[in-house]
Amino acid sequence: MKRAFLLVLLACAASIGHAQLLPVPGSQNPDWVLETADAPKPGPSALPLNTDRMPNAAQKSIASSGNRHYCWDAKQQLAYEWSSRPGEVAPDQRVTVRQQRTGTAYIYRRRVK
């Protein structure tokens, strides 16, 4: 499983050159521009979670359906979703990142160089 994931990451890296693969909220993302950050409204149901929301919390994997791709990063508790060009896995223009600990959704677009 790890070997297959590494091969997918290498394929992504090869297809987009030296570009940053996926943006990380709160970090410098030189290849990405933050468009929106949508935090949940505080209220009685917005209590912090003590456990992982994702059942595969020990994994970091990419799942695909056509040109839609999903990646779960358990270490950082980030869920990624993006569209790619046909035949590729790398993000095309936009990536949605959901920070599972806070419930905040970020939308990044690829920086034009």
Side-chain angles (χ1 to χ4, degrees):
M1 181 71 164
K2 286 183 182 180
R3 175 171 243 154
F5 179 69
L6 289 174
L7 290 174
V8 169
L9 284 180
L10 288 173
C12 289
S15 67
I16 59 176
H18 294 288
Q20 178 184 1
L21 293 180
L22 295 170
V24 177
S27 298
Q28 290 186 350
N29 298 292
D31 296 330
W32 298 94
V33 175
L34 178 63
E35 286 188 335
T36 62
D38 184 25
K41 305 286 186 264
S45 63
L47 298 173
L49 298 174
N50 294 331
T51 58
D52 296 340
R53 286 178 164 180
M54 302 297 282
N56 61 341
Q59 298 176 353
K60 184 173 183 179
S61 59
I62 295 177
S64 300
S65 176
N67 70 333
R68 303 270 328 145
H69 306 280
Y70 309 89
C71 180
W72 168 243
D73 183 344
K75 182 178 180 183
Q76 297 186 47
Q77 296 284 294
L78 298 174
Y80 293 91
E81 180 179 339
W82 69 90
S83 293
S84 67
R85 294 181 180 159
E88 295 184 9
V89 177
D92 185 23
Q93 293 298 318
R94 285 192 167 73
V95 174
T96 300
V97 183
R98 295 191 196 293
Q99 196 169 39
Q100 297 300 311
R101 288 189 179 109
T102 64
T104 304
Y106 302 88
I107 298 177
Y108 289 89
R109 73 172 159 75
R110 197 173 287 285
R111 187 180 303 274
V112 178
K113 295 188 179 197

